[in-house]
């Protein structure tokens, strides 16, 4: 009756369903939303660039030169403002910082415009404690 | 006007300090240019610009050299420090890979090399 024992073993295996019910989900909605999977942070084995790129936005690059036209002279005397020609890609915050670094002055506000010549002009209004006339003399504008 | 061979002996801080001084000088010269200053000042602009370039060149060369020295021997180095050559050459087989032979061929070469004979006159 060895065959009978073998048959009984096979029959036992067959009563357990071959497909497990673990993975089947019940979907109550039509949509399929992408699950969030594991995203690891980078751990580079070598630096992508051996030397990090140089920043080209330092103060000497931002401010090119001051303007010495008649109207800018008037602004120096009357409105306590200095007028600079400035790097075209500089923004007002960078201009403010650059003026502070180069000339040690605080400014109230900076107004900018792009001239038809393609240059950026910055009107830098100095704060009350600084005198534009003094700074202009110091820099050499007058 | 700075000379490159004088700059090469300087440490990094001194190089950066001369760079700052030169840049300040250049901005003063630009102011002189705008206010119609002396011709000597305006002529100096070119030499100051080139001096700035020289300082930056020496600084960058020294920096790259230092990094190369530090990275030498390590398993992974940045791509800009590796050989540039051409894209195809970087992907080509190495000399060792090209010279590899099958065991069968190695045996043949050892047992049956190309003989050279001399004819006795």
């Amino acid at each position: 009756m060895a065959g009978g024992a073998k048959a009984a073993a096979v029959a036992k295996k067959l009563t357990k369903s071959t497909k497990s019910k673990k993975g089947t989900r019940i979907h109550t909605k039509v949509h399929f939303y992408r699950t969030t999977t594991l995203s690891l942070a980078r751990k580079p084995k070598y630096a992508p660039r051996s030397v990090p790129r140089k920043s080209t936005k330092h103060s000497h690059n931002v401010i090119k030169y001051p303007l010495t036209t008649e109207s800018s002279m008037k602004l120096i005397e009357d409105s306590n403002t200095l007028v600079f020609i400035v790097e075209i890609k500089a923004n007002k915050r960078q201009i403010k910082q650059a003026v502070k670094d180069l000339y040690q002055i605080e400014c109230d506000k900076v107004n900018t415009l792009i001239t038809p010549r393609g240059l950026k002009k910055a009107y830098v209004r100095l704060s009350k404690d600084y005198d534009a006339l003094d700074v202009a003399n110091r820099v050499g504008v007058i | 006007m700075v000379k490159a061979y004088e700059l090469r002996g300087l440490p990094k801080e001194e190089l950066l300090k001369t760079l700052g001084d030169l840049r300040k000088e250049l901005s003063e010269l630009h102011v002189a240019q705008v206010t119609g200053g002396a011709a000597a000042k305006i002529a100096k602009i070119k030499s100051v610009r080139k001096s700035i370039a020289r300082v930056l060149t020496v600084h960058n060369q020294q920096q790259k050299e230092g990094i190369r020295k530090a990275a030498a021997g390590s398993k992974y180095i940045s791509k800009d420090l590796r050989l540039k050559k051409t894209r195809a050459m970087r992907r080509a087989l190495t000399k060792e890979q090209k010279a590899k032979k099958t065991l069968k061929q190695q045996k043949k070469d050892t047992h049956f090399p190309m003989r050279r004979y001399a004819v006795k006159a």
Side-chain angles (χ1 to χ4, degrees):
Chain A
M1 306 300 294
K6 197 176 181 180
V10 171
K12 193 177 179 183
K13 272 199 197 151
L14 285 177
T15 51
K16 241 192 339 192
S17 64
T18 45
K19 283 192 188 149
S20 72
K21 292 217 172 110
K22 204 166 60 168
T24 56
R25 289 172 201 263
I26 299 174
H27 295 273
T28 55
K29 287 189 275 196
V30 179
H31 314 285
F32 176 78
Y33 294 101
R34 180 170 61 82
T35 58
T36 49
T37 53
L38 176 66
S39 46
L40 294 169
R42 284 199 188 187
K43 249 197 313 197
K45 293 219 165 96
Y46 55 87
R49 321 180 118 256
S50 56
V51 187
R53 270 192 261 238
K54 254 189 252 304
S55 156
T56 50
K57 288 288 165 68
H58 54 79
S59 347
H60 288 282
N61 263 7
V62 168
I63 294 188
K64 290 193 183 169
Y65 47 88
L67 262 195
T68 54
T69 55
E70 282 185 17
S71 45
S72 66
M73 290 299 141
K74 207 163 184 193
L75 285 168
I76 290 177
E77 296 166 17
D78 300 344
S79 324
N80 205 33
T81 64
L82 295 170
V83 189
F84 295 99
I85 295 293
V86 140
E87 175 68 40
I88 230 190
K89 295 214 170 153
N91 59 26
K92 288 181 185 178
R93 297 195 176 114
Q94 288 168 352
I95 297 169
K96 194 166 179 177
Q97 185 62 42
V99 157
K100 190 169 170 185
D101 287 342
L102 290 180
Y103 306 121
Q104 293 85 38
I105 48 184
E106 297 281 338
C107 45
D108 276 349
K109 63 171 177 171
V110 175
N111 288 31
T112 59
L113 63 87
I114 298 185
T115 52
R117 285 189 175 167
L119 306 170
K120 191 173 244 182
K121 196 192 291 186
Y123 295 86
V124 178
R125 167 90 190 231
L126 304 182
S127 69
K128 283 282 180 53
D129 358 326
Y130 296 95
D131 185 23
L133 208 52
D134 291 342
V135 180
N137 275 322
R138 185 159 50 96
V139 168
V141 168
I142 301 278
Chain B
M1 196 202 74
V2 291
K3 291 198 182 283
Y5 70 87
E6 292 168 8
L7 293 168
R8 285 193 202 280
L10 297 178
K12 194 171 97 163
E13 304 84 36
E14 289 242 12
L15 278 181
L16 293 176
K17 190 172 161 301
T18 46
L19 184 64
D21 294 340
L22 284 170
R23 282 206 171 122
K24 210 189 293 185
E25 192 179 342
L26 186 63
S27 62
E28 289 168 13
L29 292 176
H30 275 305
V31 172
Q33 191 181 37
V34 169
T35 57
K41 278 196 180 173
I42 298 178
K44 210 176 170 209
I45 283 183
K46 180 177 175 180
S47 73
V48 174
R49 273 176 49 227
K50 301 301 172 181
S51 302
I52 291 176
R54 255 176 240 122
V55 174
L56 281 172
T57 304
V58 168
H59 174 258
N60 291 336
Q61 280 176 347
Q62 287 183 346
Q63 198 176 32
K64 207 66 176 280
E65 198 186 317
I67 289 181
R68 259 186 223 278
K69 237 192 274 183
S74 56
K75 191 165 172 204
Y76 302 105
I77 47 177
S78 306
K79 286 191 177 170
D80 54 332
L81 300 178
R82 303 182 198 175
L83 277 179
K84 177 73 180 176
K85 284 189 176 175
T86 71
R87 190 164 203 257
M89 286 165 82
R90 278 179 265 141
R91 280 152 185 70
L93 292 173
T94 67
K95 241 171 74 172
E96 295 80 31
Q97 288 166 344
K98 264 189 283 214
K100 274 201 165 166
K101 291 184 179 165
T102 58
L103 189 61
K104 187 173 181 180
Q105 186 61 41
Q106 284 176 30
K107 287 184 181 170
K108 273 193 196 172
D109 290 345
T110 34
H111 293 306
F112 308 110
M114 185 62 67
R115 311 289 331 218
R116 297 187 65 189
Y117 299 102
V119 176
K120 198 168 174 187

